């Protein structure tokens, strides 16, 4: 294959989560005097990883989806019933990587947008690999995730599953401390709010322009607005708003396509791996 001179961007499906819409958009169907008992609404949202083939950095994977055994005993009852995961064997991370001719050891950089169980659950695949030796995560996210699962000694707390990221031999974290340029055409963006230290990714492509992947800084288009609408689960509401507005300035500046973390309508419009954007 001839050498790449511009990045390629792949959107990978890690399967689907089912949950109450109110988890993604707070008060989406609020009761009123006329209709005091409005029903909850259940929907299905995609779980997404991003893969970038970069001319100088190599293969960059952003997020790992959920553990292969998530619904087979790995997840405790709360997430298993509150946001069950629906997927086929094709959706497993190993299979998705194989579809583009890769295995975990071929990944050069692994970046976790945050450590929630549907993003960090596949971290164990990278034990004793190059990417696993320097897993990029925001320092604040790592601190908060450890705080959550250790302070009350809970295996599962606020969407963090301790065994996803604690006690994995052959995994080391390389914390970053704010917006970080990995190369001229790829920048990690600090977008706290949904979680304490969430990272998004902005990548400039030669033919397809600029993409900004917000991860769960906005689950769905309704969160991003404008106006910004809070999700049902949020670590810091003021920061959530500020992160959305930060992305909106970048969207204007670069005429960027903004990609949300779990938006079923938007995901259906995207090219999916092994197809890519360049
Ligand atoms: Zn999350």
């Amino acid at each position: 294959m001839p050498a790449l001179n511009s990045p390629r961007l792949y959107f990978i499906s890690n399967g689907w989560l089912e949950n109450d819409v109110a988890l993604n958009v707070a008060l989406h169907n609020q009761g009123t005097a006329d209709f005091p008992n409005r029903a909850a609404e259940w929907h299905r949202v995609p779980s997404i990883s991003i893969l970038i083939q970069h001319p100088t950095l190599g293969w960059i994977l952003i997020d790992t989806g959920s553990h292969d055994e998530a619904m087979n005993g790995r997840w405790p009852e709360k997430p298993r019933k509150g946001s069950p995961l629906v997927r086929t064997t094709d959706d497993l991370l190993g299979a998705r990587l194989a579809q583009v001719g890769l295995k975990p050891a071929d990944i050069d950089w692994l970046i976790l947008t945050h450590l929630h169980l549907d993003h960090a659950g596949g971290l164990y695949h990278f034990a004793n690999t190059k990417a696993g030796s320097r897993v990029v995560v925001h320092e604040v996210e790592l601190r908060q995730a450890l705080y959550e699962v250790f302070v009350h000694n809970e295996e599962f707390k606020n969407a963090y599953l301790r065994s996803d990221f604690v006690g994995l031999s052959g995994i080391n974290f390389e914390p970053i401390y704010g917006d970080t340029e990995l190369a001229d055409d790829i920048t990690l963006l600090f977008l706290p709010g949904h979680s304490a230290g969430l990272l998004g990714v902005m990548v400039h492509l030669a033919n397809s322009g600029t993409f900004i992947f917000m991860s769960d800084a906005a689950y769905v288009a309704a969160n991003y607005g404008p106006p910004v609408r809070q999700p049902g689960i949020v670590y810091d509401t003021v920061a959530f708003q500020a992160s959305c507005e930060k992305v909106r300035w970048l969207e204007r500046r670069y005429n960027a396509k903004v990609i949300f973390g779990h938006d079923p309508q938007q995901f259906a419009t995207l090219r999916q791996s092994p197809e890519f954007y360049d």
Side-chain angles (χ1 to χ4, degrees), residues 8 27 29 48 86 114 140 149 186 191 223 225:
R8 290 177 169 178
L27 296 174
N29 199 22
I48 305 170
V86 179
H114 60 309
V140 168
V149 296
I186 178 166
L191 302 175
N223 299 128

Side-chain angles (χ1 to χ4, degrees), residues 32-247:
T32 62
D34 293 338
F35 300 99
N37 299 307
R38 289 186 200 267
E41 195 182 323
W42 192 248
H43 72 160
R44 181 178 278 203
V45 302
S47 173
I48 305 170
S49 292
I50 304 282
L51 180 68
I52 297 169
Q53 186 181 16
H54 190 273
T56 57
L57 296 168
W59 288 100
I60 304 166
L61 180 68
I62 298 148
D63 286 348
T64 62
S66 306
H67 195 286
D68 283 2
E69 301 300 324
M71 293 297 285
N72 301 325
R74 186 84 186 176
W75 282 8
E77 183 169 342
K78 195 172 175 194
R80 222 171 53 237
K81 296 281 171 66
S83 54
L85 180 64
V86 179
R87 61 183 174 187
T88 67
T89 50
D90 284 344
D91 296 323
L92 297 176
L93 185 64
R96 288 290 180 218
L97 292 177
Q99 286 163 14
V100 284
L102 297 174
K103 50 191 186 308
D106 298 321
I107 300 298
D108 295 288
W109 292 95
L110 176 60
I111 293 154
L112 295 177
T113 63
H114 60 309
L115 295 175
H116 285 170
L117 78 174
D118 55 325
H119 296 259
L123 177 57
Y124 70 99
H125 291 295
F126 298 88
N128 303 306
T129 68
K130 184 185 346 178
S133 72
R134 54 182 189 190
V135 179
V136 177
V137 63
H138 197 283
E139 178 257 355
V140 168
E141 180 69 16
L142 190 54
R143 280 175 189 263
Q144 185 65 28
L146 293 171
Y147 181 94
E148 297 281 0
V149 296
F150 278 112
V151 166
H152 297 290
N153 194 30
E154 291 178 272
E155 166 64 13
F156 178 72
K157 179 80 185 297
N158 290 343
Y160 295 108
L161 188 63
R162 181 161 59 191
S163 52
D164 280 345
F165 53 89
V166 172
L168 298 176
S169 66
I171 294 287
N172 291 295
F173 290 101
E174 182 145 326
I176 63 167
Y177 295 81
D179 290 353
T180 301
E181 259 189 36
L182 301 183
D184 287 349
D185 45 19
I186 178 166
T187 303
L188 302 181
L189 304 170
F190 183 45
L191 302 175
H194 167 75
S195 72
L198 190 137
L199 293 173
V201 183
M202 178 167 66
V203 56
H204 305 295
L205 305 180
N207 298 312
S208 305
T210 299
F211 282 82
I212 300 173
F213 178 55
M214 290 184 74
S215 183
D216 295 358
Y219 280 132
V220 293
N223 299 128
Y224 185 62
V228 169
R229 234 178 125 181
Q230 298 285 327
I233 292 181
V234 61
Y235 173 78
D236 178 340
T237 53
V238 176
F240 187 91
Q241 167 102 25
S243 290
C244 286
E245 299 307 340
K246 173 176 174 174
V247 170

